[in-house]
Amino acid sequence: MEIHLIFTKNNKLKIKISNNQYSHGDFKVCFSLVYSIQEIIGATISKQIGRYYEIHSQQDEIILTLQEPRIGSYNLSCGPEGLFVLGNNDQKLECKITPLDFENPIPEILYSDEKDKIFDPIIPLPNILKLEKETIQIKNLDFKISPDEKKFFDNLNNLLKASNIKFNTSSGHSIVFKKQNFQSEEYKINIKKESISIEYSDYGGKLYSIITLIQLINFYKTYLPICLIEDSPSLSWRGMHLDCARQFYTIDEIKRLMDYMCFFKLNRFHWHLTDNEAWRIELKCYPNLTKLGAFRGYNEIIPPFYGTGFNKTGGYYSRSEVNELIEYAKHRNIEIMPEIDLPAHSWTLLEVMPELRDSSSNIIAEDVGNYPNNTINPAIDETHKFLKNILAELTEIFSFNIIHVGVDERPRESWEGSPKVIEYMKNNNIASFDELQDDYMNNIINILKKSNNLTAAWNEAALPPYNEIGSSGSAGKVDKSCIIFAWEHPDVGLMSAKKGFKTVLCPGHKTYFDMAHNKSTYERGICWAATIEVKEVFDWEPLKDYETEDLQNVLGIQGQLWSETITNKDYFDQMINPRLAALAEIAWCTKAKRPWAQFRSSLLNNLDFLSKLGWKFHNF
């Protein structure tokens, strides 16, 4: 059997079956999509959970009408992923699948080769960079350090291996460190003929001085300019999020991302550990969450969402692995904030622990991703126990004092029809489901406060939803200590700050790196928010409309990679790199302080270094 996948000229998805020795109806085709099926011709859907489908063909050509993307056309991420074919007895049938084709392709973008011969090679751009014409020669790129500093440099071996730089205790151009009473992450480098002096505030400032030095050497090689560099970040939170629920990334793969983050002075890792599709963090209090919820496959309780395929695949993070990653992150000045996405986005959790929903409810509520009944019930005693238990264990595991608890995209009908909810609301004088969500949130905030931890959540935790997608939000009664991650639209961050919430800006329109770069059919990514080119990230002025009093509530900026479209790890690099590098410049400086051509030249130079670490990148 052969299956041909084609997007037709009128934007239909055609599944064409040839060399078929089986009778229609005697086999089923199983796959995942990133856009839901609106209509199907030539087959019937026998099973659907989220955007995982099993269909029985009735003829050789199956025509699917999918949700229409914002840009009106589809790309390489929009076809069936993880496709397999099963016979009547659920035996896997041999099947050849051709690559996705387009009858009306949109060509790839050709980028201009905009370069400057003279540019500052450091990303992010330092506050003060005074380069003299006079240089010093660093023979063999040898630098002499104090024996006390050896361990500090040993921890950076992964970054240094792509360079020829050697930090020795016996020979080379001398580097002298001196701690000063600077602000956090501030540093000062003075390159002189006789030595290099580095003044720093804390570990972050010391580390970033060396990152700056590496970038300088990568450009100037063995002849360094006499120079003075003074630098500190404009924003304290400069982050990157990774969705490890939709796809599982190994600890080594996450470490690789942390090296990238460190190279561009990003200091917060938002670790998205649970969602509808998986539960990835091992907890002693509920071991079945990972035993059953961390793996997907046709014969597992969690079906093969987002390209997983027939066989059992997946994984989870043990406590020892988390500890290893926390230690690795600290050496790169990165704090790890875990996210357990609740109360919605919990389909897998509820498959493992159905006692967290009200079984007497008579409502089927489906979320924007087509997951039915994916929301835990706040009026059940078992839910209160569950929240206390998992939050207590998470605060034991993670050293950072902020826990992210999700609270996005709760279906509007999720708690309707639940007698236990109705009774709880009556007993606690709660007038609406949005007030019930606020009650649920304040309960979590109070639990975490008792262990001196802060709560973070997506913007629907404190604000009404910005987009009309059938979701609910807050009634405006959430404790102001909650940190808000403003994702739905650039305006949401300003709304959050004005209401007095500490806010991290992460609008999908600029910071969601699962978005396609452009409209070409040969791109990967989705586009519900926008298409995002590297230059568009660089040109973003996130704080343009903020008054002084609002700015006090902006903690920083964060990039996101949601993983629905990362069905092959080969796609990972080009979705992140170099958009994240451009975002790092904006997060450090709050807006571009050099022309695009100069930044582009600096970026190309640094990408050459990163390529030695194995990083591929998207053209720009």
Side-chain angles (χ1 to χ4, degrees):
M1 181 188 298
E2 291 184 13
I3 292 185
H4 307 266
L5 306 171
I6 305 155
F7 273 108
T8 66
K9 288 181 179 177
N10 58 351
N11 262 353
K12 306 293 184 183
L13 176 59
K14 183 193 294 184
I15 300 176
K16 189 175 180 180
I17 303 169
S18 62
N19 298 327
N20 181 23
Q21 62 269 48
Y22 305 99
S23 299
H24 289 292
D26 288 345
F27 63 90
K28 60 184 176 183
V29 183
C30 311
F31 54 87
S32 288
L33 293 165
V34 293
Y35 292 114
S36 301
I37 296 174
Q38 305 290 299
E39 183 184 15
I40 185 166
I41 299 171
T44 56
I45 298 172
S46 55
K47 182 176 183 179
Q48 176 194 356
I49 301 173
R51 286 165 186 159
Y52 166 72
Y53 295 91
E54 297 177 5
I55 65 175
H56 281 88
S57 72
Q58 297 163 337
Q59 55 194 46
D60 289 342
E61 281 195 359
I62 303 165
I63 305 296
L64 306 179
T65 302
L66 306 183
Q67 287 175 297
E68 186 175 337
R70 180 188 185 97
I71 57 176
S73 59
Y74 298 93
N75 66 22
L76 289 172
S77 289
C78 302
E81 294 280 3
L83 190 148
F84 56 94
V85 181
L86 299 179
N88 268 337
N89 298 318
D90 277 356
Q91 78 275 21
K92 193 177 178 190
L93 304 179
E94 288 295 320
C95 179
K96 180 183 177 184
I97 304 164
T98 64
L100 183 63
D101 196 12
F102 298 87
E103 290 182 351
N104 191 24
I106 301 171
E108 294 181 86
I109 296 289
L110 296 176
Y111 297 92
S112 66
D113 192 20
E114 224 180 327
K115 288 184 186 176
D116 271 13
K117 288 184 180 179
I118 301 173
F119 59 88
D120 296 325
I122 301 163
I123 297 176
L125 183 69
N127 298 342
I128 295 173
L129 180 59
K130 294 179 180 178
L131 302 173
E132 306 291 340
K133 290 183 180 179
E134 189 178 358
T135 63
I136 54 169
Q137 184 179 11
I138 311 293
K139 292 181 179 179
N140 302 318
L141 292 180
D142 279 348
F143 293 91
K144 185 179 179 182
I145 57 170
S146 159
D148 296 341
E149 304 293 351
K150 188 175 184 305
K151 188 175 180 182
F152 170 78
F153 285 96
D154 285 346
N155 288 328
L156 303 180
N157 279 340
N158 267 18
L159 285 169
L160 294 171
K161 69 184 180 183
S163 72
N164 296 315
I165 307 170
K166 294 175 284 295
F167 294 99
N168 306 301
T169 58
S170 57
S171 63
H173 199 77
S174 180
I175 298 179
V176 180
F177 289 98
K178 186 177 182 181
K179 194 166 184 179
Q180 298 283 18
N181 188 26
F182 292 163
Q183 70 177 62
S184 179
E185 301 178 313
E186 185 177 357
Y187 66 92
K188 181 178 178 181
I189 303 174
N190 200 343
I191 299 179
K192 297 171 285 190
K193 283 185 178 181
E194 61 279 7
S195 67
I196 297 174
S197 68
I198 291 176
E199 298 172 67
Y200 64 96
S201 56
D202 51 16
Y203 182 85
K206 184 177 182 180
L207 173 65
Y208 293 157
S209 70
I210 297 303
I211 295 298
T212 294
L213 193 59
I214 291 170
Q215 291 189 12
L216 272 178
I217 295 167
N218 178 53
F219 181 66
Y220 289 105
K221 311 305 180 193
T222 57
Y223 286 89
L224 281 182
I226 304 291
C227 69
L228 174 67
I229 300 170
E230 296 181 10
D231 202 12
S232 61
S234 299
L235 297 169
S236 61
W237 189 291
R238 306 177 308 282
M240 180 59 189
H241 153 291
L242 182 62
D243 168 16
C244 293
R246 275 54 176 265
Q247 308 295 344
F248 178 71
Y249 300 89
T250 66
I251 291 294
D252 283 344
E253 287 168 332
I254 299 172
K255 286 179 178 178
R256 179 174 177 266
L257 175 59
M258 287 185 171
D259 286 342
Y260 185 103
M261 291 171 62
C262 177
F263 190 73
F264 294 114
K265 304 184 176 83
L266 297 167
N267 66 354
R268 299 287 183 266
F269 179 61
H270 178 164
W271 200 1
H272 189 84
L273 290 162
T274 75
D275 215 296
N276 286 316
E277 298 82 6
W279 185 284
R280 302 289 189 200
I281 178 75
E282 182 183 45
L283 297 177
K284 292 176 184 175
C285 54
Y286 299 105
N288 276 348
L289 286 175
T290 45
K291 184 179 179 182
L292 301 175
F295 299 93
R296 304 199 290 252
Y298 182 74
N299 292 311
E300 305 303 310
I301 70 164
I302 311 302
F305 298 123
Y306 293 123
T308 303
F310 176 81
N311 296 318
K312 179 180 179 179
T313 58
Y316 62 87
Y317 307 102
S318 67
R319 186 176 285 216
S320 63
E321 286 176 316
V322 174
N323 288 339
E324 177 189 340
L325 194 64
I326 289 171
E327 187 69 16
Y328 192 87
K330 283 189 181 299
H331 290 146
R332 280 142 190 79
N333 195 48
I334 296 170
E335 295 283 5
I336 298 177
M337 176 184 69
E339 180 188 353
I340 305 298
D341 203 350
L342 301 166
H345 283 269
S346 298
W347 189 86
T348 284
L349 166 62
L350 287 164
E351 288 298 294
V352 179
M353 296 184 65
E355 61 270 27
L356 301 180
R357 72 161 66 95
D358 185 353
S359 59
S360 59
S361 175
N362 58 6
I363 293 287
I364 296 177
E366 194 172 271
D367 79 345
V368 66
N370 304 121
Y371 289 92
N373 293 337
N374 74 335
T375 307
I376 65 173
N377 192 306
I380 296 174
D381 288 341
E382 190 58 45
T383 299
H384 292 286
K385 292 177 192 171
F386 171 78
L387 291 172
K388 283 184 179 179
N389 289 340
I390 66 165
L391 293 171
E393 192 162 345
L394 285 168
T395 56
E396 281 179 17
I397 295 171
F398 288 92
S399 57
F400 195 40
N401 71 328
I402 303 174
I403 306 290
H404 197 297
V405 295
V407 202
D408 59 316
E409 298 181 331
R410 176 177 59 82
R412 194 171 289 138
E413 303 84 13
S414 54
W415 294 324
E416 288 184 15
S418 165
K420 292 182 179 179
V421 160
I422 293 167
E423 182 184 3
Y424 182 87
M425 291 173 68
K426 184 178 178 182
N427 291 342
N428 291 277
N429 197 28
I430 296 171
S432 69
F433 295 119
D434 287 354
E435 280 189 30
L436 178 59
Q437 178 180 291
D438 289 352
D439 178 82
Y440 161 89
M441 271 303 300
N442 288 329
N443 178 43
I444 288 177
I445 290 167
N446 289 331
I447 291 171
L448 287 172
K449 274 183 178 180
K450 288 174 184 175
S451 57
N452 296 315
N453 283 272
L454 294 170
T455 304
W458 300 108
N459 55 253
E460 297 99 314
L463 303 168
Y466 188 93
N467 296 320
E468 180 44 62
I469 55 173
S471 298
S472 287
S474 168
K477 298 182 179 181
V478 170
D479 189 300
K480 288 292 195 294
S481 68
C482 187
I483 299 167
I484 297 304
F485 284 68
W487 70 277
E488 281 192 281
H489 188 273
D491 291 348
V492 173
L494 183 56
M495 292 165 60
S496 173
K498 281 187 177 299
K499 286 184 178 291
F501 290 96
K502 297 299 181 186
T503 304
V504 176
L505 308 181
C506 47
H509 303 67
K510 297 295 181 184
T511 71
Y512 271 36
F513 299 146
D514 54 315
M515 298 294 116
H517 285 74
N518 53 65
K519 295 181 181 182
S520 169
T521 49
Y522 302 109
E523 290 291 331
R524 295 198 177 272
I526 51 180
C527 59
W528 67 260
T531 57
I532 308 172
E533 292 282 10
V534 179
K535 188 176 186 300
E536 291 173 304
V537 178
F538 179 77
D539 288 339
W540 183 37
E541 296 185 27
L543 303 180
K544 187 177 180 181
D545 298 320
Y546 285 70
E547 303 291 340
T548 303
E549 58 269 24
D550 304 326
L551 289 172
Q552 295 172 0
N553 287 325
V554 177
L555 292 180
I557 292 169
Q558 178 174 285
Q560 278 69 221
L561 184 67
W562 300 99
S563 293
E564 291 94 330
T565 63
I566 314 297
T567 51
N568 185 318
K569 297 292 174 63
D570 289 345
Y571 311 153
F572 180 85
D573 284 16
Q574 294 200 9
M575 300 309 287
I576 289 175
N577 189 26
R579 291 190 287 195
L580 184 54
L583 189 70
E585 176 103 347
I586 302 307
W588 188 271
C589 306
T590 70
K591 68 176 182 178
K593 294 180 179 177
R594 53 178 150 180
W596 163 250
Q598 286 187 18
F599 175 77
R600 185 177 186 276
S601 303
S602 178
L603 188 52
L604 285 167
N605 184 66
N606 281 298
L607 292 180
D608 178 62
F609 179 88
L610 287 168
S611 70
K612 296 172 187 173
L613 292 172
W615 277 88
K616 300 178 179 66
F617 66 91
H618 192 284
N619 287 330
F620 58 100

